[in-house]
Amino acid sequence: MSDTPRNKVNILSVCEANLAHAYAKIEAVKKARKEAEDQVSAIESRHQAEMKAANLELSKIATLIQDNEREGVPTEKLEKKSSDIKDRIKMSQASHSQSVELDAAAASIKKAESELKSAEDLHEQYKARQALASGLKVAYDENAFYGAIDAPEYETLDEAVDEYVAAIPLVVSISEGLSIDMVGLWQVPHSEAPLQVDLFSEDQVAYRYNRLPKQVEWLSKFAGTEYASMPRSDETRFSVEGVVFVIGSSKPAEEAAGHKWMGEMAEFFLNKPPSIYSPDGINYHSDKGFYARSGLCYIKSEGKFYSLWSTKFPSIERVPGKVQKADRWGTMQTEDGMVPKGLQVDVSMLLESLYPAVAKRIKPAAEEFKALSKAKTPLALRLKEAIEKVGVTESTFESRGKRLSEAEITKEVGAYWEAFINSPWEGMILGDVAMIKHLCERKIETPHVWSHYLKGHYALRVRTRDHDWILAQVYCAPKHLSPKAPISPDEVVYKPNGYVKVGPCFIKVVGREK
């Protein structure tokens, strides 16, 4: 979609030009019909003149034959000449009845009459369109909330539909279990039934929101790991690549709608530039009229105007009412007059409906939402690009459906803990990290451990000699649990502020509590 402002086409000017063109067409067809009629008249006149001359000559010969017969003079030659003239008359009549020139002229008249009817019908259509366009202009001049005076120009209908679809608001649902499972979209502003479609990467394989769960947000402290760049915000709504994500909603469109068509989602679209979807921008306005010009455009290759609301376009009529006028001293007076009143008018004769082309484009895209990894349509590719910024098909984190015993925990991460306890001492080992390592290394104390709902996430307490508790957390990605090979102490790396990395396992010494 180009950032260059589109050329605006004045609706009334186009209608007036079309009306003038239709009138010129009528005059041209009338002229062509007159020329064809004149041609037929000339052919008929020429034939009649030939027939008149031949008949006159035949009459003279008949008179001579009668005179010769009375005088006893032979008439053979005159009779032969008379017969020749009669044959010539018959040939001329036959030739005239089969005249190619006459048939062509008659066909031209018939064609001109057909074209004239079409041109007159078209002229009436353009006349009606001009009246509608004039009404829209009057309404717009009265109040810019109504009517229309111009439309952005597109070369083809496909180009306009592509830009429209690209501007459709998308709201994606993320479940409490962090599955990216549904998308809601408004095919048209204020749609009472926004489309809601299940989302999958492939057949029945859902994306998952790759966010650091709050319990392990401390993993972001380990620079250079995959956790360092993961989202860890508490926001329940956010926007990526122009697509809004809602966490904890099973039906994103309904969640977004609330009591207004875009509800709280509108805040994410307020700064988007005007588009063919929302020429006046998206806002909280609850009145459908604000989006009256949605889809309004001019298709240059077709010479047609389109709109979403062609059968219910907001306009104005003037009705009797009270008006305020200032008298000669500036005092406002109320008197009877004509006041504007909003109404919806059918302008489908002037504006074609854009929605069938939009729906045709959305339908295959919606099917691709169920297998976004194979997306080809622009709308599905747009959604895929946004989702893949925050979602994965194989989640980094998994939920666990039960609490583990100490023995089960030891089996999963005991090797990492032992590597930490038995690793060589160094200057980075300070404070509670040093104390917990010392107590466990000397077997003075044994950690009390338990598991969390995230698979691979554990916590522990170690009792100190002064009866405080040192708390720590451990996280190890599920694929690295229960290592078969021994963990080398060389894989233990100490970080500032109580963070320890043991190969693929991470430890955070939280601090003390009484």
Side-chain angles (χ1 to χ4, degrees), residues 117-412:
K117 185 179 185 310
S118 297
E120 288 174 340
D121 290 343
L122 189 61
H123 182 269
E124 289 302 310
Q125 290 180 25
Y126 285 149
K127 188 176 180 180
R129 291 178 187 178
Q130 183 194 37
L132 290 172
S134 179
L136 293 182
K137 181 181 183 303
V138 169
Y140 184 89
D141 290 341
E142 182 79 39
N143 185 334
F145 188 78
Y146 300 94
I149 56 172
D150 52 30
E153 181 182 62
Y154 295 84
E155 188 63 35
T156 65
L157 182 59
D158 282 343
E159 183 184 5
V161 172
D162 284 343
E163 188 169 312
Y164 179 95
V165 171
I168 290 177
L170 300 175
V171 179
V172 174
S173 165
I174 301 176
S175 70
E176 291 183 357
L178 300 186
S179 292
I180 302 175
D181 52 12
M182 185 176 287
V183 61
L185 61 89
W186 281 263
Q187 312 94 305
V188 297
H190 276 281
S191 172
E192 295 179 359
L195 186 64
Q196 299 192 104
V197 184
D198 291 333
L199 282 175
F200 295 101
S201 170
E202 299 176 14
D203 292 342
Q204 302 303 310
V205 177
Y207 286 99
R208 291 186 62 81
Y209 181 36
N210 206 29
R211 182 186 73 173
L212 274 174
K214 191 171 184 62
Q215 293 87 338
V216 291
E217 284 188 352
W218 51 272
L219 290 173
S220 64
K221 301 295 183 181
F222 291 91
T225 67
E226 62 179 310
Y227 309 112
S229 59
M230 280 188 187
R232 54 185 187 276
S233 170
D234 289 332
E235 287 183 332
T236 58
R237 296 180 177 89
F238 59 92
S239 177
V240 177
E241 299 291 332
V243 175
V244 176
F245 291 79
V246 184
I247 300 176
S249 170
S250 60
K251 293 186 177 181
E254 293 179 11
E255 165 73 18
H259 298 293
K260 298 179 182 178
W261 83 274
M262 280 298 291
E264 295 183 18
M265 299 305 105
E267 65 181 279
F268 293 102
F269 300 102
L270 292 181
N271 295 324
K272 293 179 74 68
S275 67
I276 184 175
Y277 180 90
S278 51
D280 298 300
I282 289 178
N283 68 80
Y284 294 100
H285 207 293
S286 60
D287 191 332
K288 185 187 292 186
F290 192 85
Y291 299 90
R293 288 178 281 275
S294 291
L296 182 62
C297 61
Y298 177 73
I299 306 304
K300 185 177 180 181
S301 59
E302 300 179 7
K304 295 180 180 179
F305 291 96
Y306 283 80
S307 172
L308 285 180
W309 315 113
S310 58
T311 59
K312 295 181 179 180
F313 205 94
S315 188
I316 283 178
E317 65 176 348
R318 301 192 70 82
V319 298
K322 299 293 183 180
V323 297
Q324 297 233 328
K325 290 186 177 180
D327 60 19
R328 58 187 297 184
W329 297 281
T331 303
M332 298 303 296
Q333 302 288 340
T334 300
E335 58 184 58
D336 292 334
M338 302 298 288
V339 296
K341 176 186 176 182
L343 78 161
Q344 293 180 332
V345 295
D346 185 345
V347 292
S348 54
M349 181 177 284
L350 172 63
L351 309 177
E352 302 275 340
S353 176
L354 186 70
Y355 186 71
V358 170
K360 187 176 180 180
R361 193 68 52 85
I362 290 175
K363 185 176 180 180
E367 289 299 316
E368 290 186 351
F369 291 171
K370 300 173 184 177
L372 277 179
S373 62
K374 303 174 184 177
K376 295 180 180 179
T377 61
L379 183 60
L381 288 170
R382 171 187 161 204
L383 182 60
K384 177 186 176 184
E385 181 181 0
I387 288 177
E388 292 187 345
K389 294 283 186 181
V390 297
V392 293
T393 53
E394 295 184 7
S395 177
T396 304
F397 302 97
E398 297 179 26
S399 297
R400 192 195 296 273
K402 66 174 184 175
R403 291 190 295 179
L404 302 184
S405 66
E406 181 179 343
E408 290 172 320
I409 295 172
T410 300
K411 181 181 178 181
E412 290 187 351

